[in-house]
Amino acid sequence: MHRHAILEYDGVDSTEEFPEIITEHFFVISPDLQHDNDFTKYVQKKVKEYLDSISYTVDHMHEFTDGCSSQYKSRHCLGSLSTAIPDFGYKTFHRNFFETSHAKGPQDAAGGFIKRQADISVLRGNTVIQNAKDLFTFCESSLKKPRSALFKKRKIPDKKTIKPREITQTSNEEEVAQDTDILSEDISDLVSINSVVAVKTDDDNFDYYLMKISKGSRIEFSRE
C-alpha cells in the first residue's frame, strides 16, 4: 500500500512540492481458503479501518490487482465494486488490472519473507505452526519489529587485540587451531554456540573450511 506521509503518524509531512510516499505491506492471515469476492471485500474493509485508525483521509483510492476472476473480474466482483464508494466513503475508486504474469512486485517478496521465516522457525524447532492463528501469532511475536532493531552494534576488533593461534597438523591432515578463549569478547557478538561458519582458505584443493563453534578452547576444521 502506497500513501502520502502524515506528520502526526510518520513524523514527516507530504506536500505537493516535496511529496513523501510511505509504502506499507498489509497482510491478512485467515483460515478461509476460498479467497473469493467476499474475502476481497473483507480485506478492503480492514484496509479502510486501518486508514481511519491513523486519521488518514482518502478521497481517491487506486487499486491494482491481477486477473483472478473469482476475486476481481467476475460479475459478483464488479457488482461489489460498484458499491465501494458508498461502503467506504471514497469519492472515486479505481480498479486497475495488470496484464497476465505482470503483477509481481515488492509485495510478493514481502509475503515470501514471512513464509520463509515461518519455515525456518519450524525447522529449528522454535515454534509450531499448524493453522492460520499459529502463523499470525508467530508474525506478531517475531516479525513485528524490523530485524535491524534486534541486533547489537557490532565491534570490529583491532588487529592488536587478536591473539595469534598455534596451528598443529593431525594425522588425517585436518588443521586444528588452538585458542585459549574462542568466544572472546572480540567475536562473541558475531557468532553463537553450535553455529557453523565457512572460513576461506588458501588451500589449493579446497575453497573453504567449515567451522563449528563450541564452548571449548579448541576448534576443528573439516573439509567438505
Side-chain angles (χ1 to χ4, degrees):
M1 179 169 60
H2 305 280
R3 61 175 178 83
H4 288 277
I6 51 179
L7 182 61
E8 296 79 3
Y9 188 77
D10 303 302
V12 61
D13 199 10
S14 180
T15 62
E16 293 185 2
E17 294 80 8
F18 302 100
E20 292 287 344
I21 305 301
I22 303 297
T23 300
E24 297 175 303
H25 297 289
F26 196 91
F27 296 98
V28 178
I29 301 175
S30 170
D32 185 3
L33 302 179
Q34 292 186 3
H35 293 183
D36 53 7
N37 172 60
D38 294 330
F39 184 86
T40 302
K41 191 77 171 183
Y42 178 79
V43 173
Q44 292 173 338
K45 178 182 176 182
K46 300 302 292 185
V47 171
K48 175 60 177 175
E49 291 176 355
Y50 167 71
L51 295 175
D52 291 340
S53 69
I54 62 175
S55 302
Y56 189 85
T57 303
V58 178
D59 292 331
H60 308 283
M61 173 65 73
H62 295 267
E63 183 181 74
F64 292 84
T65 71
D66 55 20
C68 181
S69 60
S70 63
Q71 296 177 358
Y72 305 112
K73 280 190 172 181
S74 69
R75 59 188 178 92
H76 301 290
C77 299
L78 296 179
S80 177
L81 179 64
S82 65
T83 64
I85 292 179
D87 288 345
F88 304 123
Y90 304 131
K91 291 183 179 179
T92 60
F93 191 97
H94 304 268
R95 174 169 290 177
N96 306 273
F97 297 99
F98 280 105
E99 188 66 34
T100 303
S101 302
H102 285 70
K104 294 296 183 181
Q107 69 280 354
D108 296 282
F113 174 79
I114 287 182
K115 291 182 283 187
R116 178 58 178 167
Q117 293 302 310
D119 289 340
I120 292 175
S121 183
V122 171
L123 291 174
R124 291 178 176 175
N126 297 330
T127 186
V128 176
I129 300 178
Q130 296 180 328
N131 48 50
K133 184 177 180 180
D134 292 342
L135 179 60
F136 175 80
T137 302
F138 167 76
C139 293
E140 282 285 297
S141 61
S142 303
L143 303 180
K144 202 167 186 178
K145 293 183 179 180
R147 182 60 58 89
S148 59
L150 303 179
F151 287 101
K152 299 179 181 179
K153 185 177 180 180
R154 293 183 174 180
K155 297 180 180 179
I156 305 300
D158 189 356
K159 292 183 179 180
K160 297 181 180 179
T161 63
I162 301 178
K163 301 177 182 179
R165 295 181 177 181
E166 179 183 354
I167 306 298
T168 60
Q169 196 74 15
T170 61
S171 58
N172 58 355
E173 295 185 356
E174 289 185 351
E175 294 183 356
V176 179
Q178 301 291 340
D179 196 347
T180 56
D181 186 10
I182 63 170
L183 287 182
S184 63
E185 184 180 355
D186 298 330
I187 64 171
S188 60
D189 291 337
L190 305 180
V191 296
S192 58
I193 300 298
N194 294 327
S195 62
V196 178
V197 297
V199 181
K200 188 177 180 181
T201 176
D202 295 331
D203 195 325
D204 295 335
N205 298 322
F206 302 96
D207 295 330
Y208 63 90
Y209 296 145
L210 293 182
M211 180 178 69
K212 184 175 182 181
I213 306 300
S214 63
K215 292 183 179 180
S217 60
R218 168 171 164 166
I219 308 176
E220 294 188 359
F221 293 88
S222 60
R223 300 169 178 173
E224 294 184 12

